[in-house]
Structures are given as structure tokens and as C-alpha cells.
Amino acid sequence: MREAPGWAIALNNSKNWQVVNVSQRKILVTSALPYANGGIHLGHLMEAIQTDIWVRLQKLRGNDCVYVCADDAHGTAIMLSAEQQGITPEQLIENVSNQHQEDYSGFLIQFDNFHSTHSQENREFSEHIYKTLDKNGHINRRSITQLFDPEKKLFLADRYITGTCPKCKAEDQYGDNCEACGSTYSPTELIDPRSSISGATPIEKDSEHFFFALPEFQDMLCQWTRSGTLQDAVANKLREWLDTELQEWDISRDAPYFGFEIPGSAGKYFYVWLDAPIGYMASFKNLCDRTDYNFDDYWQKGQDTELYHFIGKDIINFHTLFWPAMLTSAGYRTPTAVHVHGFLTVDGTKMSKSRGTFINARTYLDHLNPEYLRYFLAAKLSNGIDDLDLNLEDFALRVNSDLVGKVVNIASRCAGFIGKGFDGYLAENPDNPDLLAEIQAAKNEIGDYFEARKYSKAIRLIMALADKANQYINDKEPWVIAKTDKQSPELQAICSSGINAFRLLMCYLKPVLPKMAADAEQFLAIEPLLWDHADSLLVGHKINKFKPLMTRVESDKVQAMVDATQKEFEVQARSKTKSDTTKQPLENTTGFESEIDFNDFAKVDLRVAEITSAEHVEGADKLLKLVLNLGKDKNEKDIMRTVFSGIKSAYDPDKLVGMLTVVVANLKPRKMKFGMSEGMILAAGPGGKEIWLFEPHVGAQPGMRIT
């Protein structure tokens, strides 16, 4: 429970005396920067919404809380995308920034400032921090060998290189790993490598790169990561890395590159590792230059202000190792805490464009109320790093049951009687002070749940109180009283209790549902709700005529959103296919491998297999270790195989256990870095999050041969 505000007289920045809240917390909050090369999707929104809820709570509690964000606007991908569109990178990032801000605004995300890493503030901070790191001896330079596109005249990142896997000989694999066999390797090891940008055969070329000396901060990071600034699960994960020797962090890229040139190093540019997080500082500095906020109060060491980052678990090594180490070397404070969340899945699987579940913000807004999503996420979110599933059926049921069937229902059942029988005036003495006192007494507990990011617990408590209010109205049956006396004092007192209960619940829900809260404030004819307004009641107060505050989620609109997403994917796929086929001979347009005869195919023994266990592989970014049951041998003993598969980006190991799949049973075992792989499971998809394992129909049993 937090202290009640205290007050004092103080000089403001304009040298004028004013009354100030001396116990007011001063907080700066950021969420991860979206990349300026695509639209906002539900994954971005899960992070932004939970951050926005937390920030709104702080502001409602009277704290000085600032929320800043920006677009991550540098990189080769942006340069190439702009080139493809026939516009400048500056034009592209401006267009995307406008789109991003419109999308966030549509979901009621209330930034105090939204900026860009391609800004003067970011350039100045990047150069200053780099020079400080270099002066402190924390920048090392050495030559490395990379693949170079001789046609585009640029060094190729791994994702822009494809070729044949040096281990299993699978074609069209990325430059750092094989999705067919799960092997990891250097791009220079690829057989017949080619640039996915130009199609040219890359050549090896040496280049000097700049590295941040992260290993020198090993001791500092061991202490910082275990100081309570991180969730236990995150600290434990980091311990795995910190218990081994850290690697230097590459912070440079060669021209051509869209970004900021490194001072004194022509043709060398800051990679996003360095200038992207500085976007937090730059966005806040941009705000400071337009307001009375002081930058040093929030970023210099020794200040009592608070600094929080909300991020996804995919970038914890960046935000909790590189970033605090860089800040420390540059003389700035480290974050008070880094709040990490899991991924968003839709209907139990990774978001997929082809299935219509990789939903963009704009597509959602074209069909559904944004507060539906805000509420559903709040009802599911915890302070852990587990993935959150957006089950579309549960989504509709939850919103309809809770918001329409419980909260709004309280007001709609009572408002009419107050309007018709009492000219809109509430009673001086509500009928059930005990119920209202119970709802009021929950204020601190609900607030502390929100503060601790245990949103789902806060929502459960709010809805439990809503249930009690509805039960009270059911028991009192005001509609029965109204049949005989529309101006009964008892009727007025009962309905006034209901309206007051509704107001208290809306006060607690305001961080989650700001638009619905604003509509409720208009209906109640009150000033904007603050958290401490829950300490008082409305008595002898006149309310306005009730209007519906929330309509039900319609299943046909949810389906229309999914259909629209699928249509977007199909249009993009056709466009890509058309583009690709114009560059290839006709005989290659299918993308099929060379023909084989039946005897070749008959050599492949495909079997149904049950996944009996699945786990992450320590030290492997792409692999999962699967144990498969391929049925019984002649002695009725289970045939068990261990297979390493590059499906980690698309599947949660826990959800694979018990699943049937298809395995190449007679593939020669292959020794890998992490152990012996005794087969290969079959999957389809372009890679990344879009990988789908083959699943036999119901009735298939482990060991059955596929013919």
C-alpha cells in the first residue's frame, strides 16, 4: 500500500511558487521500438497496451509518469524497401511513422512523445555515447570476413544469403542455419551461396568492424541482473549466459547503409544495436526541449526518478546485457527495472498470415472496437514471461460476459428508474452502504495488482465485485417495485447503490478502458475520474440519460477480420509470385526439385511418430530436441528416436508433447554439435514463425508407414 500524497510549497522551473505533491513519483516509461519497415500488428499491440495500462494507472494515482516511444528507423532493410518503392528512406520512415502513430492512437495508446531514431537528438546522443565508450577503452576494432554482393556493392547480413546446407545438402537455406536439419554454420560455409537481394554469387571480402567490449562488464552485469531489477525467470536465463564468457558486440556496418556515420570513420555506420535503444533517450530529450522536463533528472546517476522498459522476451539479451553495460560505460544510470513479457499467439499457435491470424492493427480497427482487445489482454496478462493466447472464441465470450453482461448491465438496469422516477437524481442515502464499502475497500488491492503488472488478478477481483453488485440488484428486484411505485424512496436508494457501484468499478477499469470510462463520466455527469475518487460516493447527484456504453462482440465481425487478413496475405503472395516468376525461366517457376523416379521415392521410409518429449537446446537459437516414439519393434519394445529440428521459432516445446507427426525413419543418423540426430521430421512453410509440422489425421498410430 502506497503512502497518501503529501503537499508542500516549492519553486517551479519558471521561478514561481506553486503547491506540489511531495510524495509524487517521477517515472519515465518506454516500450520497445517498432521497426519502420511495416505496420503495427497485434504482437506490437500486446506490449503497447500493457504499457499504456500501467502508465494510465500511475497518472490516475497522481504520479508524474511519462511514456515515450519511437520508430526504429535505420538499417539495410529500410534502405532496400525504399529503393523498391522508388522513394527515399526518409520518405519511407515518415510514411510509416504516420501509420504507426495512427494505429497506436486507434488503440488508445497515449504516448507523451513518439519520435524516430532518425533524428538530430538521436545522432547527437549516439555520437556522444560512442566517443565516451571509445575514450574509456570499450570499443575494439578488428577485421572480419563477410560475404559481399558484387552487384549491389554491399555486405550481406545472414538473412540476405541463401544456398545449400553444407551438412544435409538441403537447398534454399539461410546464411546462418538450416531449417531442414537444424545445423548452424557460417555463411561462408554455404554451398552455392547467392544474394537474395540481387541473385548474384557473393564473394568473400574483409572489412574492419567496431565492437563493444561487453566481456569487461561481466561482474557488473552479474550484480545488476541479480539485484531485483528483473523477473526471476529472466534473471535465471541471463545466468546461463553470464556463467559463460560473454562475446564482444558488433556495433558497426559498412556503407551503403541507412543510418548515422560513425564519427571519424568514413563509410562506417552505427548498427541498430547502438542507436536503437538510444531512441529512448532521444525521444525523451525531444519532449524535454518542448516542456519543463529536465533530461538529467531521469538519465543521470544518483537520481530518485524511476526508469522502466517494457520489452518482449526475444530481446532480453540486448536490453539486459548490452544496454545496461553501454549506459554504465557512458556514465548514465541503468533502468530501475526491465519488464519482460511473452509472445502473443492466436488460437494456440504462432500468428500466421495464411491462416488469417497475423492481424494488423488497421485490419482489426476496420472491424472491431479496440477496447475489446484492451480488456481481453488485461484479463489474461500476468507479470510473467509466458506466452499469451488470443483465442478468438474466448475473446468474444469474455468481453460479452464481463463488460456487457456484468459491468454495463449494472448501469443499464438502474439508470432508467432513476431517470423516469426521480428526474435523474440519486438518493442521499444509497440502500446498500456495505456493498459500496466493500468495493471501495478493494481500491488499494486492485491498484497494487495493476502496479505489479498482475492485470489478470486485478480484473478477476473487479469482476467478482461486479458479480456481487448484480446479485444485489437481482435480489432487490427494482423492476418489481417500479410496477407499483415509480417514485418509491426504496427504489431510488436501490438504484443509487447500483449506479454508485458502477461508478466505482469504472474508476478501477479506467486504465484499461479509457474511452468507455469517458462515456461513463458523461453519463454520470462527473469530472474525469481519478483513482482516489473511489473514496467517495455520488449522493443527491443528477445523472444524465443512459446510453449504451459497450456493444456485444459480433462473431461475424471477428470472422470478417480473419477473412480480411487472409485476403491481404493472398494478394501479397500473388504479387510476390508474379514478381518472382518474371525473373526466372519458365521451367523454374514451380520451385520443385528435379524429377525422381518411383524407386528413388520408395527408398524414403516415412513413419507416423508421437512426440514424447520436447525441450530447448542450450546454446542453439533455432533447435528443439525431440524424442519420438515410432511404435513397437518385433519384440514389442518402443522404438525411440532423438531428432534435432529447427522449429524453435514457431513452436513452444510444451505444446508439442503428445502430438503426432511424420518422420523420415531411415535417414542416416547425423552427428551434430548438440548430439546425434536420428531422423528428420517433416514440416512446411517459409521459416521463422511460419513453420507447420505435418500432422496425421485422427486414427493414425505411431509406427504406421506412410505410402
Side-chain angles (χ1 to χ4, degrees):
M1 188 179 300
R2 301 208 173 265
E3 295 180 0
W7 303 92
I9 305 292
L11 280 173
N12 61 20
N13 292 341
S14 303
K15 307 300 182 184
N16 296 318
W17 293 100
Q18 65 177 21
V19 179
V20 296
N21 181 354
V22 296
S23 64
Q24 182 185 57
R25 296 162 63 193
K26 296 184 179 297
I27 308 169
L28 176 59
V29 179
T30 78
S31 50
L33 312 187
Y35 196 47
N37 195 31
I40 299 300
H41 54 69
L42 294 194
H44 295 117
L45 289 167
M46 184 179 76
E47 176 168 294
I49 286 171
Q50 67 178 293
T51 312
D52 185 74
I53 291 172
W54 197 84
V55 169
R56 287 179 180 273
L57 170 80
Q58 302 304 332
K59 292 181 176 181
L60 290 174
R61 284 182 134 181
N63 294 317
D64 185 355
C65 187
V66 179
Y67 180 18
V68 301
C69 195
D71 275 331
D72 180 2
H74 288 157
T76 303
I78 287 174
M79 179 181 70
L80 295 174
S81 182
E83 180 182 301
Q84 187 178 26
Q85 296 179 43
I87 59 178
T88 65
E90 289 82 1
Q91 288 174 308
L92 184 146
I93 62 177
E94 182 180 357
N95 295 341
V96 172
S97 178
N98 292 332
Q99 178 191 344
H100 284 181
Q101 291 183 68
E102 288 178 6
D103 290 344
Y104 279 133
S105 177
F107 281 87
L108 310 171
I109 310 300
Q110 195 173 57
F111 298 113
D112 291 286
N113 198 54
F114 193 90
H115 206 37
S116 170
T117 59
H118 193 65
S119 64
Q120 185 59 29
E121 297 93 344
N122 212 68
R123 181 190 295 274
E124 291 174 358
F125 276 118
S126 296
E127 292 181 355
H128 168 71
I129 289 174
Y130 167 77
K131 289 177 180 178
T132 305
L133 302 182
D134 195 24
K135 180 182 178 181
N136 293 338
H138 294 143
I139 298 295
N140 298 321
R141 299 164 177 83
R142 65 175 181 273
S143 183
I144 64 173
T145 301
Q146 292 178 278
L147 291 184
F148 182 82
D149 188 323
E151 291 188 13
K152 294 294 291 185
K153 306 296 182 185
L154 57 78
F155 286 96
L156 295 167
D158 294 346
R159 65 181 178 277
Y160 293 126
I161 305 167
T162 58
T164 299
C165 173
K167 308 295 175 61
C168 73
K169 307 301 186 288
E171 297 183 355
D172 294 322
Q173 300 303 312
Y174 290 111
D176 59 350
N177 74 96
C178 177
E179 295 187 340
C181 71
S183 298
T184 58
Y185 40 75
S186 165
T188 57
E189 298 179 79
L190 274 177
I191 301 170
D192 298 326
R194 60 188 177 277
S195 166
S196 59
I197 300 172
S198 68
T201 300
I203 60 175
E204 292 188 11
K205 190 173 180 179
D206 292 341
S207 173
E208 184 182 48
H209 274 233
F210 298 7
F211 295 84
F212 175 64
L214 187 64
E216 297 187 28
F217 295 87
Q218 186 109 9
D219 292 342
M220 170 260 166
L221 290 170
C222 283
Q223 181 178 358
W224 184 78
T225 57
R226 299 170 188 178
S227 64
T229 59
L230 307 171
Q231 297 118 299
D232 289 342
V234 176
N236 291 336
K237 178 63 181 177
L238 293 174
R239 194 170 291 126
E240 298 175 11
W241 292 325
L242 290 167
D243 287 343
T244 61
E245 186 176 351
L246 294 173
Q247 301 298 309
E248 293 188 328
W249 212 293
D250 193 345
I251 63 164
S252 69
R253 289 294 185 269
D254 291 274
Y257 186 84
F258 182 65
F260 296 142
E261 196 168 51
I262 299 176
S265 302
K268 303 291 183 181
Y269 289 79
F270 292 125
Y271 188 46
V272 293
W273 290 126
L274 185 131
D275 68 16
I278 292 173
Y280 301 142
M281 307 171 80
S283 184
F284 183 62
K285 183 61 166 63
N286 180 261
L287 177 67
C288 291
D289 291 343
R290 296 182 285 105
T291 63
D292 289 335
Y293 285 104
N294 185 288
F295 180 87
D296 289 346
D297 289 347
Y298 291 81
W299 287 99
Q300 292 303 316
K301 292 181 177 179
Q303 302 293 329
D304 59 359
T305 53
E306 303 170 50
L307 171 62
Y308 300 97
H309 300 311
F310 284 73
I311 65 164
K313 62 184 179 182
D314 55 326
I315 51 176
I316 58 172
N317 59 342
F318 176 36
H319 275 79
T320 59
L321 296 176
F322 174 79
W323 177 231
M326 187 175 79
L327 287 170
T328 299
S329 177
Y332 293 101
R333 58 94 50 88
T334 53
T336 307
V338 179
H339 298 321
V340 182
H341 60 81
F343 299 130
L344 179 70
T345 61
V346 180
D347 286 340
T349 61
K350 300 287 186 181
M351 291 192 298
S352 164
K353 293 180 180 179
S354 63
R355 290 197 298 267
T357 56
F358 194 97
I359 301 167
N360 287 320
R362 186 51 45 188
T363 308
Y364 178 103
L365 291 170
D366 287 341
H367 296 89
L368 296 169
N369 184 333
E371 291 196 303
Y372 294 161
L373 183 65
R374 289 180 66 98
Y375 178 77
F376 182 82
L377 293 177
K380 299 272 286 187
L381 278 165
S382 71
N383 63 349
I385 62 172
D386 295 331
D387 294 347
L388 187 154
D389 184 51
L390 171 59
N391 180 282
L392 294 175
E393 183 177 356
D394 182 39
F395 164 79
L397 292 172
R398 174 79 63 120
V399 171
N400 291 342
S401 172
D402 288 1
L403 295 186
V404 181
K406 295 181 180 180
V407 179
V408 174
N409 192 47
I410 298 170
S412 65
R413 298 168 88 189
C414 298
F417 298 121
I418 294 294
K420 294 175 182 178
F422 308 96
D423 195 28
Y425 280 93
L426 300 176
E428 294 287 344
N429 296 296
D431 176 72
N432 195 339
D434 291 341
L435 170 66
L436 300 179
E438 182 181 359
I439 299 175
Q440 289 177 308
K443 182 188 77 170
N444 288 336
E445 185 177 2
I446 293 170
D448 289 346
Y449 279 144
F450 277 130
E451 172 79 33
R453 305 177 330 282
K454 299 177 181 179
Y455 298 168
S456 59
K457 287 190 174 183
I459 295 298
R460 281 199 297 273
L461 179 50
I462 293 169
M463 289 304 137
L465 295 169
D467 284 336
K468 290 187 176 183
N470 275 296
Q471 186 60 52
Y472 160 74
I473 296 169
N474 286 343
D475 294 342
K476 290 292 185 175
E477 298 182 314
W479 47 89
V480 175
I481 299 172
K483 287 181 179 180
T484 56
D485 187 357
K486 289 184 173 60
Q487 295 182 320
S488 164
E490 183 185 9
L491 176 64
Q492 185 185 26
I494 293 169
C495 293
S496 296
S497 291
I499 295 296
N500 269 286
F502 169 77
R503 170 183 168 272
L504 294 171
L505 296 173
M506 286 310 307
C507 184
Y508 301 152
L509 286 169
K510 188 171 181 176
V512 181
L513 306 168
K515 174 62 168 58
M516 182 176 166
D519 292 342
E521 290 159 358
Q522 186 176 8
F523 154 59
L524 295 168
I526 58 175
E527 295 295 316
L529 286 165
L530 299 175
W531 199 255
D532 285 344
H533 286 171
D535 296 335
S536 63
L537 299 176
L538 294 181
V539 294
H541 175 82
K542 187 174 184 178
I543 62 175
N544 293 318
K545 184 177 180 181
F546 178 80
K547 297 178 181 178
L549 298 171
M550 179 73 68
T551 57
R552 298 176 64 84
V553 181
E554 298 176 21
S555 57
D556 60 333
K557 291 185 177 180
V558 176
Q559 187 59 49
M561 175 185 69
V562 172
D563 293 343
T565 302
Q566 288 177 315
K567 187 175 180 180
E568 292 167 7
F569 167 73
E570 291 167 359
V571 170
Q572 292 171 1
R574 285 197 298 269
S575 177
K576 185 178 185 302
T577 301
K578 184 178 179 180
S579 174
D580 291 344
T581 56
T582 60
K583 302 176 184 178
Q584 299 177 15
L586 183 62
E587 61 267 27
N588 293 331
T589 59
T590 63
F592 295 161
E593 300 290 343
S594 304
E595 287 185 350
I596 61 174
D597 60 31
F598 184 81
N599 289 332
D600 291 327
F601 174 73
K603 295 177 182 178
V604 182
D605 192 342
L606 299 177
R607 299 279 176 162
V608 177
E610 180 184 4
I611 302 173
T612 61
S613 76
E615 60 187 48
H616 295 290
V617 179
E618 187 175 355
D621 295 332
K622 309 291 184 181
L623 294 178
L624 293 181
K625 179 182 178 181
L626 308 178
V627 177
L628 308 176
N629 185 338
L630 277 69
K632 304 287 187 181
D633 63 13
K634 294 180 179 179
N635 298 318
E636 291 299 307
K637 293 183 177 180
D638 290 331
I639 304 172
M640 308 301 293
R641 298 281 180 83
T642 298
V643 173
F644 292 91
S645 181
I647 61 173
K648 183 176 180 177
S649 61
Y651 285 92
D652 180 350
D654 293 338
K655 296 180 180 179
L656 289 172
V657 177
M659 175 179 169
L660 294 181
T661 190
V662 177
V663 64
V664 181
N666 64 333
L667 188 66
K668 185 178 180 181
R670 184 177 72 263
K671 187 176 182 179
M672 301 177 66
K673 176 182 178 182
F674 308 100
M676 190 70 72
S677 187
E678 303 171 304
M680 180 188 298
I681 60 170
L682 301 190
K689 296 181 179 180
E690 296 192 24
I691 300 174
W692 294 276
L693 291 184
F694 285 19
E695 292 185 75
H697 281 196
V698 176
Q701 298 296 320
M704 288 183 175
R705 185 164 186 177
I706 297 170
T707 59

